[in-house]
Amino acid sequence: MRVVLFYCYSELKSPEAERDRQFEFCEARGLYGRVLISVEGINGTLAGSEEDVGAYIEMLCSHPDFFMTPADFKNSSYEEETGPPFPDLQ
């Protein structure tokens, strides 16, 4: 299982709407962790399967407000048997 840490400074005109889109995306894929979104950008740590975390990275890298590449994400892993390192999605 995979854990990613990331941030991107970017001026967001509607952080509330972006927060809702991010939450729906993550919840639909069973990702755990925390993503903070403000008018200044995004900062987060998420955990999930390789496939689901990879889909999240692809989504952010193609997002028109975040100019990110896969190299912007710091990667780690955890054992599935121990469960995710976060209790839920925030």
Side-chain angles (χ1 to χ4, degrees), residues 61-72:
C61 288
S62 65
H63 195 288
D65 292 325
F66 304 120
F67 305 99
M68 300 181 77
T69 69
D72 294 319

Side-chain angles (χ1 to χ4, degrees), residues 23-72:
F23 189 86
E24 288 176 20
F25 188 96
C26 292
E27 188 174 51
R29 285 159 182 79
L31 297 173
Y32 293 88
R34 179 175 289 171
V35 178
L36 304 174
I37 299 173
S38 74
V39 295
E40 299 170 341
I42 188 168
N43 183 321
T45 304
L46 288 173
S49 70
E50 288 284 337
E51 180 180 336
D52 292 328
V53 171
Y56 184 83
I57 290 172
E58 287 179 22
M59 182 270 294
L60 270 192
C61 288
S62 65
H63 195 288
D65 292 325
F66 304 120
F67 305 99
M68 300 181 77
T69 69
D72 294 319

